[in-house]
Each structure stands twice: as structure tokens, then as C-alpha cells.
Amino acid sequence: MEGITERARPLIRLRRTALDRFPRLKTRLALRLKDPILGVVDRLPVGSLASRAFRQTLRHLVGGVLWSVKLEVNNACGLSCPMCYIKKGEDLLPMHDIKRLLDEIAGVGTRLEILGGEPLLRDDLAEIIRYAKEEANVPQVVLYTNALGADQRRAGELRSAGLDAALVTLISCDEKEHDAFVGVDGAWRKTTSGIRCFREAGVEVYTFTAIHRANIGRVKEIYAFARGQLGVHAVFYQYIPQEADDPLIPDNEQWAAVKQWILREKNAPHARFVRNFCTLAGSACSGGYFVFTVKVDGTVTPCPFIDDIPLGNIKEKSIWEIMGNRFDVPQFIRFQSLPAECRECSYADICNGGCKAGNAVLFGRYDRKDHRCLGPWGKPIAEDAVSDRLPCFF
């Protein structure tokens, strides 16, 4: 933490634990016990002494575990979405690096999430999935895709290889709006066709929609379209700003209302999971604590949206060594620290400032609270308001 004065020293809520010396072992044990652990958290009122004691004990003894790896296998994509954070190119993460990483997490219980670019542009995608399922015994493999290349043959091939779920980017339920946003005529028809092919192949399918100013007024329609006409689940997430005066940033009050509708009215079980997970973790951001991203060049970062906090590289070190040493990285400490403006907030011990991925663009620094936050909140924690007070969700 060199270069940080005492006055500017960040308040660190998430820190190294004794078990960080054994990241693989503690991850394996924690993931096997995750359901009973979350069950205890679920039963305890958030503001109770018992809840605080239980979660503080786990944070100090265990800390973060490798719940999931987000793996960017390429950076090529045929779309031109203004919300995209990827620097496009023709790079591929080599298969031998992918297999070595999968060997490292074999049998642990860590999930694999495959991202791009557009992963379907890799001819060997089925080989990656098959290796993950059959050789590394990964419990769940999830694909993030625009589904343009998902015909019946390809969808069947990926399902046979072991693909569990596909999250398919859907900007709008309106064909013209979707195509205009992604910059490709006919994209909507190919995407919805790909969704149907995945579903028919037996893959669990979710539409995946970033909520921004261009589509926030259509969220209920998108939900109805996904559930009713496509017959799949609908997932929404927060838009990450790409520029300081980003015109796609929605109004905070409108965002809060939409989030409340999604979590309270349409997905109460997931709202409860978010409540439990954030309460246990002490943060609404899981980046670098429960989820790690491997970029296409092998660099490990806390989050797909962040490329300026390198924690290490899988070409040089194992994912476990990188995870165990992440608190040696000053930029990561600042990123995970509680923003000064949040220190008097009653939800600070659950939220930790929310999602900070867009802060470097908006403020030139990460140690600011989530720009969507309507707080800070001064009243004691209200059990039925936790999901509303958290400015982001996943």
C-alpha cells in the first residue's frame, strides 16, 4: 500500500485470511458446504447480532473462494454494440492455457463461464466444454453469446459436449430496435432463432439484457417476450458506463424502480439469494473475491469490465497462486475498499459501495460509491428493503 497517506488510507472490509494460503482447499470445502452456509444466512435477520457474528466469523476465517471463473476465449465479434467493453481483435486464448486452467480447478466445484468476444466464433468451443465437463469435472458450464451462430447442429454439438446453460444477449423485444443497437441487420432474427435452437437441444436458456437508457422503458415487454414467446428465462443486469458522459446511463430513480420490479415481483427467490450472498460476502461486488475473470491474453482481473487491475496471468502462475496473492496488489485493495461516502451508511457491511466497474470512466478512480446508489441510508437495516438498497444486482 505504498504511496497511500494515512488520511487517504482506504477502509478495507475484505481482506486476506489465514486460509488464503490454501485457496484450492478452502474453495473445495466451502463450495461443498455452500448450501447449508447460505441456509444459515437465510434464516438469520440481517441486522441481528447472530447474523453479524456468523458472517464476520466466516469472513475472517475463510474469506473469498473461487465460486466461478469467467473465461474470455476470444475477442472477435460481428456486432457493434455501443455498450461493449471488449477491445475487438482476432486473439484467441490458446487451448493449452485453457486446459491447464481447467486442470487446476478440476474437482473443486468452481463454475466455468465462457465469454468473448463471441465464443461461437471458436471452432473448438465444444472441445473446451467437453474438457471442462469430462476431464475437469466442472459442475456447471455457462456460455455467454449473441447466438447468431447457433443453428440446430451447433447447439446440439455444444449440448452433447456438456453445455449446461446459455445466456443470450437480447437488447430489445423489437426487431428494428435490436438490430439498430447492435449495428447488424437481421441480427434479431438470428439471435431469436439461436435461442430456440439452444432450447430445443436441451440447453437451459436465459435472455441476457443490460438495462440502459435505450431499453429501460421496455423491460416489462422484454420479460414478457422472453417468457411467453421464446419460452426461456429472462435475466437483466446493470449497464456499465463506457464514457464519462455516457448517454446510455439510465435515470437512477427509474433504474431503482425497474430493479425493484424485477427482484420483488418477478424473481423473489433470486432477490433472496442476492440478499444472502451479499450479506455473507460483505459486498454487492463479487469481483476478485468470489469471481475471477481471465482475459483473452491470460491476465486475471476482478471483473470482465475491468482491465487495469491485473492480479496475475495464468500463463505464468496458477489461478490459485493468483487468488492467494491478490491482496498484494495495491490497485485491488483500493478497488475493494469501502468508499468514504459510504462509511456512515447502515448497509455498508452488505453493499461495500456496490458495483464500481464504471467508476474509473465516470470519476477517474474506483474508490467512489456505485453511481446508481440513492443512499447513503441512515436508518437501521430493514429486512424487506435489502435488495432495494443495494444499487446493483447480479
Side-chain angles (χ1 to χ4, degrees):
M1 297 185 55
E2 295 178 2
I4 304 177
T5 65
E6 190 63 37
R7 176 174 294 181
R9 189 178 297 276
L11 180 57
I12 306 169
R13 288 189 176 273
L14 311 180
R15 60 182 72 233
R16 192 193 311 271
T17 69
L19 289 182
D20 272 338
R21 293 178 294 173
F22 314 102
R24 188 181 190 278
L25 176 61
K26 75 166 183 174
T27 293
R28 185 178 182 185
L29 293 175
L31 292 182
R32 291 187 177 188
L33 295 172
K34 68 178 185 300
D35 290 336
I37 289 173
L38 287 172
V40 173
V41 175
D42 185 66
R43 291 190 294 272
L44 296 174
V46 178
S48 69
L49 179 61
S51 175
R52 291 197 298 272
F54 182 73
R55 65 186 189 241
Q56 289 296 341
T57 298
L58 284 178
R59 289 179 202 169
H60 287 297
L61 291 180
V62 181
V65 299
L66 192 58
W67 180 297
S68 182
V69 171
K70 293 182 181 291
L71 185 67
E72 293 184 2
V73 296
N74 67 346
N75 59 5
C77 181
L79 303 182
S80 300
C81 307
M83 67 181 183
C84 186
Y85 59 90
I86 292 291
K87 297 176 181 177
K88 293 182 183 178
E90 298 299 325
D91 303 305
L92 299 175
L93 185 61
M95 180 64 78
H96 64 268
D97 290 323
I98 294 173
K99 288 183 175 180
R100 185 171 62 249
L101 171 66
L102 293 174
D103 289 340
E104 291 168 1
I105 66 172
V108 173
T110 300
R111 296 175 9 134
L112 177 66
E113 302 178 59
I114 300 176
L115 296 79
E118 172 46 57
L120 289 176
L121 295 178
R122 279 195 70 137
D123 295 334
D124 56 0
L125 181 59
E127 181 183 351
I128 296 172
I129 295 170
R130 183 173 291 106
Y131 194 92
K133 297 296 288 188
E134 297 180 1
E135 302 298 327
N137 196 28
V138 171
Q140 187 173 34
V141 177
V142 179
L143 177 69
Y144 289 71
T145 175
N146 58 37
L148 266 66
D151 56 16
Q152 288 183 331
R153 181 197 64 79
R154 192 78 189 282
E157 175 191 40
L158 298 182
R159 177 58 187 151
S160 295
L163 180 64
D164 295 293
L167 274 72
V168 182
T169 299
L170 184 70
I171 306 301
S172 176
C173 53
D174 182 87
E175 179 177 355
K176 292 182 178 179
E177 284 183 4
H178 180 98
D179 288 357
F181 191 89
V182 304
V184 175
D185 291 339
W188 187 88
R189 288 182 178 272
K190 290 181 180 179
T191 289
T192 53
S193 173
I195 287 173
R196 293 185 176 96
C197 289
F198 274 127
R199 188 193 63 193
E200 291 167 5
V203 176
E204 193 82 7
V205 183
Y206 302 77
T207 55
F208 195 55
T209 304
I211 301 174
H212 42 66
R213 190 175 292 272
N215 64 6
I216 194 168
R218 281 192 179 270
V219 167
K220 293 184 179 181
E221 294 175 64
I222 294 171
Y223 179 90
F225 175 73
R227 298 292 291 162
Q229 296 190 42
L230 296 178
V232 301
H233 307 283
V235 171
F236 301 90
Y237 70 107
Q238 62 267 14
Y239 171 71
I240 305 300
Q242 300 298 306
E243 53 185 307
D245 297 317
D246 198 326
L248 288 176
I249 298 176
D251 173 78
N252 282 358
E253 295 282 356
Q254 191 178 12
W255 158 258
V258 166
K259 179 168 68 72
Q260 184 181 83
W261 180 80
I262 293 169
L263 291 179
R264 284 200 183 191
E265 296 188 31
K266 295 302 177 184
N267 204 345
H270 185 65
R272 192 67 180 181
F273 172 79
V274 171
R275 174 263 196 204
N276 294 340
F277 190 93
C278 295
T279 299
L280 177 62
S283 177
C285 170
S286 57
Y289 205 61
F290 289 94
V291 179
F292 288 74
T293 295
V294 179
K295 309 296 282 187
V296 72
D297 64 354
T299 301
V300 177
T301 68
C303 166
F305 303 104
I306 292 173
D307 57 14
D308 59 350
I309 305 180
L311 304 177
N313 194 297
I314 63 167
K315 298 175 184 289
E316 302 166 356
K317 299 177 181 178
S318 76
I319 190 67
W320 302 115
E321 184 178 0
I322 293 169
M323 180 182 174
N325 294 330
R326 67 197 185 282
F327 286 104
D328 292 335
V329 181
Q331 303 100 302
F332 178 66
I333 293 176
R334 296 188 188 98
F335 173 74
Q336 283 286 17
S337 297
L338 182 70
E341 57 206 306
C342 302
R343 294 182 185 180
E344 302 303 319
C345 181
S346 52
Y347 292 82
D349 192 49
I350 302 173
C351 178
N352 199 46
C355 173
K356 305 167 190 171
N359 285 4
V361 170
L362 294 176
F363 311 118
R365 48 194 281 196
Y366 284 112
D367 59 345
R368 294 285 302 273
K369 71 173 183 177
D370 191 319
H371 70 279
R372 289 165 286 260
C373 181
L374 297 177
W377 309 97
K379 294 182 179 180
I381 292 175
E383 188 74 26
D384 61 352
V386 172
S387 63
D388 295 337
R389 296 295 183 255
L390 299 177
C392 55
F393 67 97
F394 55 92

